Amino acid sequence: MKWKYGLLLVLMTLATVRVSAQDDVEYRMEVGAAVGLMGYHGDFNGSLTKDLQPMGSLVVRYIFNPYMGLKANVSYGMLKGSSADVKTWYPEFSETPYSFSNFADVKTWYPDKTPYSFSNKLVDLDVVYEYNFWPYGTGRDYRGAKRLTPYLLLGLGGTFVKTDQKNVFTANLPIGVGVKYKVGARVNVGLEWAMHFSLNDELDGVKDPYGIKSSGLFKNTDCYSTLQLSVTYSFMAKCRTCHNEDE
């Protein structure tokens, strides 16, 4: 008879585990932090990998469903660049003789000009919409959910930059891609790259170095890229029985 009680205990344990697995909780919110790199892209730099600077972020995400979410991201970093890094010759800021046959001509016409360089502090606040390629979850909280999924992001943000000349505040349009992995029921790891197109040409401290004014929403304006690794914690469990309690 003892073996019957043992078998019954094993079956009850398996049933409990199965019910528990099928009843994993879905969460509505995530909060966490990120570290990464930030790069300036404008009149004095055209490379995605040059003069990258460290950055840090605070992340809050609201989950609509396993496919969609809304994320608020507050970041702090630096923008760094120099006119010596580009082949374009700016009379106001560079002694590199790309527009002359030899260096002596530059000294003759512009004897006091030196390369322009900057290192400006930046604060970024973005709100972006995220769309997952596959439903995101443990696979037990939502049928067919995947622990790993790539995603796209698009949003609107604000940028504050402190330059040597003045403080600059402008809007920016972040567009990017990422991938996230659910380590556990409440722990998420993500890697994300985004380009932030600003509405201002003075993030580097200089406006229209060509001396020609431009028009258009994003024409001849500065931008910056971010690459960050984030870790977030899920909370605010979705209530599965609320509709039953109301009946």
Side-chain angles (χ1 to χ4, degrees), residues 89-104:
W89 187 78
Y90 301 108
E92 293 290 333
F93 308 111
S94 178
E95 60 184 8
T96 307
Y98 290 107
S99 298
F100 296 84
S101 59
N102 58 66
F103 188 75

Side-chain angles (χ1 to χ4, degrees), residues 1-242:
M1 295 295 293
K2 292 183 178 180
W3 68 271
K4 293 184 178 179
Y5 290 110
L7 180 60
L8 180 60
L9 181 61
V10 171
L11 292 175
M12 291 177 62
T13 302
L14 292 175
T16 302
V17 171
R18 183 179 179 183
V19 170
S20 176
Q22 291 176 341
D23 291 336
D24 276 4
V25 178
E26 289 185 60
Y27 296 95
R28 286 296 191 189
M29 298 288 294
E30 293 177 21
V31 64
V35 294
L37 297 171
M38 176 179 290
Y40 155 80
H41 308 286
D43 298 307
F44 303 111
N45 182 32
S47 171
L48 290 174
T49 59
K50 195 173 186 64
D51 291 327
L52 297 177
Q53 301 297 302
M55 61 169 289
S57 304
L58 296 177
V59 180
V60 178
R61 180 182 284 114
Y62 180 80
I63 310 299
F64 294 113
N65 57 53
Y67 281 97
M68 297 180 290
L70 193 67
K71 183 183 69 176
N73 195 87
V74 182
S75 302
Y76 175 80
M78 301 283 290
L79 298 182
K80 183 179 180 180
S82 171
S83 61
D85 294 337
V86 295
K87 294 184 177 181
T88 302
W89 187 78
Y90 301 108
E92 293 290 333
F93 308 111
S94 178
E95 60 184 8
T96 307
Y98 290 107
S99 298
F100 296 84
S101 59
N102 58 66
F103 188 75
D105 291 335
V106 179
K107 286 297 184 180
T108 300
W109 290 95
Y110 303 97
D112 300 324
K113 302 308 177 184
T114 57
Y116 173 74
S117 62
F118 63 93
S119 183
N120 300 334
K121 297 178 181 178
L122 181 146
V123 177
D124 175 278
L125 172 60
D126 291 329
V127 177
V128 300
Y129 166 81
E130 297 178 341
Y131 182 80
N132 303 325
F133 282 38
W134 307 309
Y136 181 64
T138 62
R140 300 187 298 265
D141 49 3
Y142 180 84
R143 184 177 182 182
K146 308 293 184 182
R147 286 184 178 272
L148 178 70
T149 181
Y151 63 92
L152 301 174
L153 67 91
L154 174 65
L156 186 64
T159 303
F160 172 80
V161 177
K162 183 176 180 60
T163 72
D164 292 336
Q165 292 77 26
K166 64 177 182 179
N167 295 333
V168 177
F169 180 78
T170 184
N172 78 83
L173 178 68
I175 301 175
V177 296
V179 60
K180 47 191 170 184
Y181 177 74
K182 184 168 281 295
V183 179
R186 293 197 178 207
V187 181
N188 312 274
V189 176
L191 181 64
E192 176 183 295
W193 179 87
M195 182 65 76
H196 301 253
F197 298 92
S198 83
L199 303 182
N200 194 285
D201 189 40
E202 296 182 88
L203 303 189
D204 48 22
V206 179
K207 184 176 182 180
D208 297 324
Y210 291 104
I212 302 174
K213 293 184 178 181
S214 60
S215 60
L217 194 61
F218 295 104
K219 185 178 180 180
N220 196 31
T221 58
D222 296 328
C223 55
Y224 53 96
S225 63
T226 56
L227 175 66
Q228 57 182 5
L229 178 69
S230 65
V231 178
T232 60
Y233 178 80
S234 300
F235 66 101
M236 193 181 292
K238 179 181 178 181
C239 181
R240 294 187 174 187
T241 59
C242 293

